[in-house]
Structure formats: structure tokens, C-alpha cells
Amino acid sequence: MHCRVSCSSEVRPRQDSGVVPANSHASPNAAVGRSRGILHGQAILAAALAAAMLSPPMISAQSQKGGTLPPGGTDSNWVTPARTYEGTRYSPLNKITTDNVSSLQEAWSYTTGIKDGHEGQPLVVDNTMYMVTPVPNKLIAFDLTKPGPAIKWEFSPPIDVASYGKACCDTVNRGAVFSNGLIIYNVLDNHTVAVDAKTGKMVWRTKLDNVETGSTITMAPLVVGNRVIVGNSGGELGVRGWIAGLDVKTGKVAWRAYHTGPDKDVLIGANFKPYYKSMQGKDMGVKTWEGEQWKLGGSTAWGWVTYDPETKLIFYGTSNPGVWNPDMRPGDNLWSTTIFARDPVTGQAKWAYQMGPHDMYDYDGVNENIVADIPMNGQTRKVIIHADRNGFIYTIDRTNGQVLVAEKFKPTNWATKIDLETGRPVEDSSKATHQGKLTKDICPSASGAKDQQPAAYDPETHLIYTPSTNLCMDYGGIETKYIAGAAYVGAAVRMYAGPGGNDARGEFLAWDPATGKKVWGITEKYPVWAGALATAGGVVFYGTMDGNFKAVSAKDGKELWKTHFESGVIGNPITYIGPDGKQYIAVYSGVGGWMGAIVPGDLSTDDPWAALGAVGAVPDLKQDTKPGGALHVFVLPGS
Amino acid sequence: MPKSHAGVRALVLGAVAVLLLAATAASPPRAPREFRVCADPNNLPFSNKAGEGFENELARLFARDLDATVSYDWLAMQRGFSRKTLKTGSCDVIMGVPAHYDPVLTTKPYYRTTYVFVYRANGGPRITSLDDSALKHVRIGIHVIGDDYENTPPAQALAMRGIISNVKGYRIVDDYSKPNPPSHLIDAVAHGDVDVAIVYGPFAGYFAPKEPVKLAVVPLSQEVDSISGMPFTYEIAMGVRKDDPRRAAMLDSLIDRERPAIDSLLERYGIPTLPIRVARSAAAGKE
């Protein structure tokens, strides 16, 4: 994790990046907001503040052990979804420590009045915090220089209400990104919008797909250089998945890659070199399907995108293939459940690795790919770390797509292992699913050993801290369903607690990506459906579906502090330095999403198959938490 | 009160209706009385916003019997439909759901229909069974439904026979900006994009006669396919909220009373029907 910014002029923070307050004074010798000492007096505060805003490039490059900050990023800001390009969700801030975190207090909170699930995380830029709400996808700017919550402005994007009915798993949004003075985010109805960070006025708006066809967008974009990377959702409606690169200044689509079909559509060219043989060949996005099934092949890109400034590649995963019924689509169904490495400028694929050939469990491969350089067998390896729905955590050489380590992190029985020679899972045929046939005790459930809620990587411990889920499922049975006036038959999925039972449906765990072993774990009653934050203070933060927000020791998982919210947490914590020089922690509450849909949707517990089986997995959640979104901000008293 | 029918039964029915409709009105008082329907605004032959579907007509018929007017909560009939309409209380009746469809309380079925084959009357493959060997060679069109753990019965029945590469999927959740998205599959037969469609009967019965070429609409010989276990005929009822059995009972009475009118309505819309087998309401005995 060295030499990130200075190796790449493309991502060098610029002093004219639009985040410099008019009255600030650059102080090249300032400690870049890391503020190890205690701040006394206004002068020091102002200097630290100014430094925090400016972050001269050289210092920024050296100081960022936890990854590379995009332009505008400083130790005290949080300008991109995972704070760094690498997706580390690690902050070098260390004022909140294992010793003092127990006295953390809520500084302020803001209730959104929206009861759908609040996924994602806020941004902090130039003493302003930005929050994207679930539908109607409002962007709210808070002035952090005033007692909170101090709303500066609210932006309400145009939105097609037809999109509300299309989103599979609650009308969530996973957040915005800051770049070039713009707050850029996706609206459910397939538009990306860019809003002036200062004024709240819309600068551009680009339509990327047609809501009438079932496509929606819920993911948080990533900006790399002058490209905004955006992908769609909607695999459950049989759309054809894509990812696109937009021009950051105009919103114009520069490239779009589909995830099924001929190479020219997938942006596979001469430079494409997948590591494994079963993924090599021409037009594999056609050949690994029968007939024209690839045209309805799903494989959307609704998860997180990360970037490695060193290899200049973006990494992201694709969803399950469509249409659902695996019997109808013999073959590997490339490029579903696949991690892609692409050039963000052109979109051209460099390598790809499919985790679940011919997926029959709905194991989307969209989870984050954390870029890290880790010590392995005496060497430093350039890897991505990917904790998948399918129950395995992969450590993959990011230069070529070779799987170095793939081990189970939760009870998993659909496959015994990943064959590192072929890259393919060694599957248990007794767990294969067919519509109309009952297959019992498949672990993990379709919702996965972990869904999109992102892990954090700590460059000090070289561990990831990841949320996880311990559910299994029965697949099959025949149930009459109804869509658009047509009676049809559904294969019902029932989910239930895995080994350990209802008191252990979730776990927050530390994982060593070099060895593929769990280091510690904290058992939770419900699936952990919220993301993680790691800090240089040795404190890791995460939330639970029943409304706890916890601080634990990075070293051993010991609980150091917790608080309770009215509604459960499915959002991702962030940290920043406020105008008063103090370190703050911010997180959303507001249960929902796929797993939590029972609460805001007020779904009936007498239908365990509702919400794609999630209701059966957490029928008790309604008793333990309430719907309703809020933003919570915490700080240490005094200091 | 019902005007066109005399007799104690009608009076009792009317009294029940007044009670139910009044209860719905709550506050602020709603006048005149409304028969509140949850419906898809773009889904003929069932319903559309212009009121041209047979479910629209049936709603008008029932409303007239109840001395009420029809009002609608419109939503595309996709996942979450009953949760976002019926369950919120914004409407009281879904005019067509499979009998014993679990998320709602269902009335007695008022028709039974079947999947059909559709092909060109001149020169089309004369197929009547899923076991016809011609299905291995002709181009087949079917509706498919994303990856929502489910699919249409023909998709599964064909897949289990190894008939895949000559099958073309048409999304039932298709481009909703165009009229009646599921009808695109019938168009595909008329245009020659596929040789045969295996499609839910009401779509075929209504749209096939509107095509510029003559199409044959032939019910599947299978009621239940022995190879896939998939049912191909469905009994259709109306749906109300689970805690609304009195409304279901009222609708049961209206279904009985309007039997001849319902039958002629279905016939006029070309809906293929079969004799109803189970005439019991899911609401029966659940007061």
C-alpha cells in the first residue's frame, strides 16, 4: 500500500478541486488532519482545519496507509463511498481509541421520515455532510459548522414513480461520490445526477436505462479520473446487466459494457486475459448459453466498484444469471457471478473470474473487491479480497485474476472447495436445484453468507472485518404466483437459521486474507446487514439489524461500546474531523433492504416465502425493531 | 340498493353491501359509494386505465349491483402488487388472482382457464401436446420471468424435456411504456419470429384474433404435465384483504348471482375457459 497517489497523476489531488474554503490558509507543514496531539486554541484549529481541507498531494500520498484518496479527499473528509479508491473503509484518524471509545456520545441526529431501508453512507466534504435518502432519493446537505442537524439545502431529483415497483429488494440507495465540485449519485429510475456541492443545483442528469424494462439503479457510483462508473440492478426482472463509464463533467456515456453476449458488447478485446481456461475463448458470453438465452441473462452490476491506481484497473462483480430457472439455461452462463477487472477510461476488460458457473442459488457476485497489498509467504502480494454470497472469501491476484486463497467463512455446503487449478467450485450434486424439485438444507441461503454490506480492511493488521449471515434454505416446492395477469408457478425458497440456530443468524468477523482463516468473530442474533469501518485508533464499528451500533477492538473483537437505535442498522459507518477538530462517527439507522424488508414493508410473518424468502429468515425482526430512517453523528465529549 | 333484482336475497345482499361500503368510507365520508379495485393500468385483456378489460367490465357490473361507482388504485401488476395496493387499504378488491393465492383472501373461483398453443392457422405446426416431437425442432416462444425463484410452467416443462436452444424467452415484465406488454409474444407468432407460442390462455384468446394473420389458439392437452409436475390450468378468483372475509362473502354472492353475465363476458373477450372444479371460497367458514 505505497506510492498510490504519486504513482498516478490521474488521481492526484488538486488544490483547485473545489473543496478549498475561501478563507482557509494552506499550511504545508500541518499534520494533514491526522491531528495526533490535542488541539488548543483557535489558531491551531484553523491551521489543522485548513490542512484538512487542502491535503497537499505529497503529504497525502505518504500518509495514506489505508489506501488512496481521490481528489478532494483528506484524512478529515470522506468523499468516496469507501473513503479510498481501494475500498478499504479504513481511516487513519486515531482520536477515538480503544481506551476512550466507551464515552462516545451522540452529537446530533436527523430523522428522514422515510421508512424504507437506509443502506450506504454519507459523504463529508468541506464541512458539509451529504446524505442520499432511499426513494425519493433526496440529497440533503448539512452544515457541520453549525449545531446539528443544520440543513443547508435539499435537492429532490426528478424521479419516475414507476421505478418504485421494479426494485427487487426495497427502494434503497447506497450513496453518492464527490468529484470536481459535484455530488454524483444514482436515482432509482436509471438516472445518474450531478449536483453542485455548494449550491445544491443540478449540473447534469443522464438517463442510462429504461425503467419500463425493469432496470433500476441502487449502487453508489465511483469516480476514477474523469469517469463516473455506474451499473444497473434488476436481474430478477430478466434485464441484461451492464456497467458504464460517464464523463464526470457532462454525464455523457463514454462506454458501456454488457455482461452477456458477444465480446464486442462485453468490451472484451485483445488485452483480455482471463487466468482460467474455462473463461478463455471468443464470445464466451454467447457460447456458454443455449440459443438466445443470454439476451435475458441478468448479470447486473449493482454492488461496489473499487480501483487500484497502481494497475489502473477497476474491480466489480456481476449478479446472478437470468432467467432464474437454471434448467432453462444449461452452460456456465458467462459473465454472471463474475469479477471483472477493467480499464476505467475505455471500459475494456483486462481479466475476469467467474465464481459460480451456472449459478443455481442466486449467489450474486457483486460484493466489494478490496484492493490491498498483503504479506503472503514472505512476499507482498497485490490482491483483491472478496467475501462472496456463496460462502467463500477469495484472495485474488489483482494483476491477473488468479485465485490465491478461497476458503469458507460461513457454513457452506453447495460446494466442498474451490479448485485452485481450474478456479471452479467442487460442487455437491445433491444440493443442485431444479424448479419443482425440493432441495433441502442448502447453505448459505440465496441472500448469501454476506451480501453487499461492505467489509473494511485494516492495513495495520492486514485483516478484513466483515459482516456475515448464517442462513440456509430449502429450494423448491410449487406455488401459484401471479404477475401481470398470468398465473404461473413459483419455486418457493424458504430460508432459516443455519447451524447455531436463531441466536446466531449473523456474525461480525475478522478474517486473514493471506491464510483464509477467521481470526475472531462476534455472534449476532440477526444477519449482520450493515457495513464496517476500521480506524487507526484500533476501533472497528458496525451496526446490527436489531438496532445496535457497536465499537469493537480490531485486535480481538472485544466489545468496547454500543448504543441502540429505534430502527436497525443496514448502513455503513464513516468517520471525519469536524470543524472543531474533533473526530466524528456517522451512520444511518433505518432497517430494510432485502433481509429487513419485513419491517418497513410490514410483511406478514404467515408468508415465510415473502421478500424472496427473507421473511422466513427473520420473522421475529418486527418485534425487535421499528422502521424509520435517521442519520446519527457521534463524538467524544470534551476533548 | 340493487334496482334490477327483487327478492329477499337481493335485499340482504344490498344490506351487506351498504354495510361494507360504509365501513370503507370511514373518515372523511366518501360519497358516492365506491367499489374500490386494485388494478393494472396496462394489461389487457384483464384491465387498463381506459376501462377496456374484462376485469374493468366485471367491476362495473358488480358496482352497479351494489349501487356504487368503481374507483381504482392503479399499479403495474408485478412483485409487491397486493402489498402496495390492497394491503395499504387504497383499494379493496383484486379482480383476478389464482384461487387460494396465499398473500390475499380469495373468493370462490369464477373461471378456470388454461395455457394454450398459438400458431399460424395456415402452415403452423399443429401442436396440441407438450410431448409432440415437433417441439424439438420448431421455434418456440414463451413468457419468462426474471430470476424471482420462479418461472412460467412452459419454461420448466420444456427445460425438463431438454428443449432449450430453440426456445425464445419473452419477458412478461416487458417494456411497460408500450401497450399490454405480455401481448408481444402473440405478435411474435403473427410476425413469424417464432413458430409457436405456449402462452397463458387469456392473452392468446384476446390478442390472437386482432392479429393481421389468422392464428390458431389450442388448449394444451395436459392439465398437469407429468414430466415437470407443472399445472397448466388455473382457477381464478377475486382477492381481498385477509381480515376482510365479509367482503369475500359478498363477492361470492355476486359471483353466483352474475354467473350468466360473467360467462358471456369471458366469451366476448375470447378467454378460453374450462369447467370450474373447486367452487369453494377460501374465505368460506372464516368469519
Side-chain angles (χ1 to χ4, degrees), chain A residues 45 75 125 153 166 322 458 475 622:
Chain A
L45 177 69
D75 284 359
V125 188
W153 47 258
K166 313 282 175 171
D458 185 335
Y475 173 96
K622 273 208 287 194

Side-chain angles (χ1 to χ4, degrees), chain B residues 22-85:
Chain B
T24 312
S27 62
R30 188 186 289 108
R33 296 182 302 170
E34 290 179 344
F35 185 70
R36 303 191 312 155
V37 177
C38 327
D40 189 321
N42 183 25
N43 190 30
L44 291 180
F46 303 98
S47 60
N48 72 6
K49 211 156 190 170
E52 296 166 331
F54 75 84
E55 290 182 353
N56 297 117
E57 279 209 35
L58 192 53
R60 285 195 290 273
L61 176 68
F62 278 24
R64 196 163 60 236
D65 287 348
L66 298 167
D67 200 16
T69 55
V70 183
S71 69
Y72 285 102
D73 184 16
W74 299 112
L75 187 71
M77 203 171 267
Q78 293 168 12
R79 186 162 60 193
F81 178 80
S82 60
R83 173 163 63 87
K84 290 167 188 165
T85 58

Side-chain angles (χ1 to χ4, degrees), chain A residues 407-461:
Chain A
E407 294 292 336
K408 295 176 182 178
F409 68 114
K410 296 306 292 176
T412 297
N413 62 17
W414 68 278
T416 55
K417 62 171 189 173
I418 307 299
D419 181 337
L420 297 185
E421 288 298 306
T422 63
R424 297 174 76 89
V426 179
E427 297 188 49
D428 177 346
S429 59
S430 73
K431 299 298 178 188
T433 72
H434 302 280
Q435 186 168 320
K437 176 191 162 229
L438 182 63
T439 307
K440 294 186 112 169
D441 297 323
I442 303 166
C443 309
S445 66
S447 54
K450 170 188 173 296
D451 199 36
Q452 59 74 28
Q453 50 281 33
Y457 170 76
D458 185 335
E460 302 287 349
T461 62

Side-chain angles (χ1 to χ4, degrees), chain B residues 21 24 34-40 55 58-59 62 66 70-73 77 81 85-87 89-97 104-105 107 110 237-241 244 247-248 250-251 254-255:
Chain B
L21 292 162
T24 312
E34 290 179 344
F35 185 70
R36 303 191 312 155
V37 177
C38 327
D40 189 321
E55 290 182 353
L58 192 53
F62 278 24
L66 298 167
V70 183
S71 69
Y72 285 102
D73 184 16
M77 203 171 267
F81 178 80
T85 58
L86 189 69
K87 247 194 105 172
S90 64
C91 49
D92 302 316
V93 183
I94 303 173
M95 296 303 288
V97 296
V104 302
L105 181 62
T107 65
Y110 64 97
M238 296 178 197
V240 300
R241 283 178 292 278
D244 201 3
R247 195 183 309 275
M250 175 194 76
L251 294 168
L254 286 173
I255 288 167

Side-chain angles (χ1 to χ4, degrees), chain A residues 127-168:
Chain A
N127 290 333
T128 304
M129 183 181 292
Y130 300 90
M131 169 183 202
V132 180
T133 71
V135 163
N137 297 150
K138 280 191 293 186
L139 174 64
I140 307 171
F142 298 93
D143 185 344
L144 298 179
T145 64
K146 295 180 181 157
I151 294 181
K152 262 174 134 168
W153 47 258
E154 274 189 31
F155 167 74
S156 293
I159 181 165
D160 179 351
V161 294
S163 60
Y164 297 15
K166 313 282 175 171
C168 80

Side-chain angles (χ1 to χ4, degrees), chain B residues 110-188:
Chain B
Y110 64 97
Y111 68 101
R112 179 163 162 252
T113 189
T114 175
Y115 271 81
V116 296
F117 293 104
V118 180
Y119 47 84
R120 286 172 174 245
N122 293 322
R126 302 190 172 280
I127 293 170
T128 56
S129 162
L130 290 166
D131 295 316
D132 193 318
S133 62
L135 285 174
K136 292 192 168 73
H137 314 295
V138 295
R139 296 168 301 157
I140 307 167
I142 55 169
H143 277 138
V144 292
I145 297 163
D147 63 13
D148 205 354
Y149 304 138
E150 58 224 3
N151 226 313
T152 56
Q156 183 63 15
L158 294 172
M160 291 194 69
R161 286 167 168 80
I163 300 170
I164 292 162
S165 58
N166 56 330
V167 177
K168 188 168 177 190
Y170 288 78
R171 297 172 55 219
I172 200 157
V173 186
D174 207 349
D175 187 343
Y176 205 72
S177 63
K178 303 197 174 92
N180 313 307
S183 69
H184 304 164
L185 174 54
I186 314 296
D187 296 341

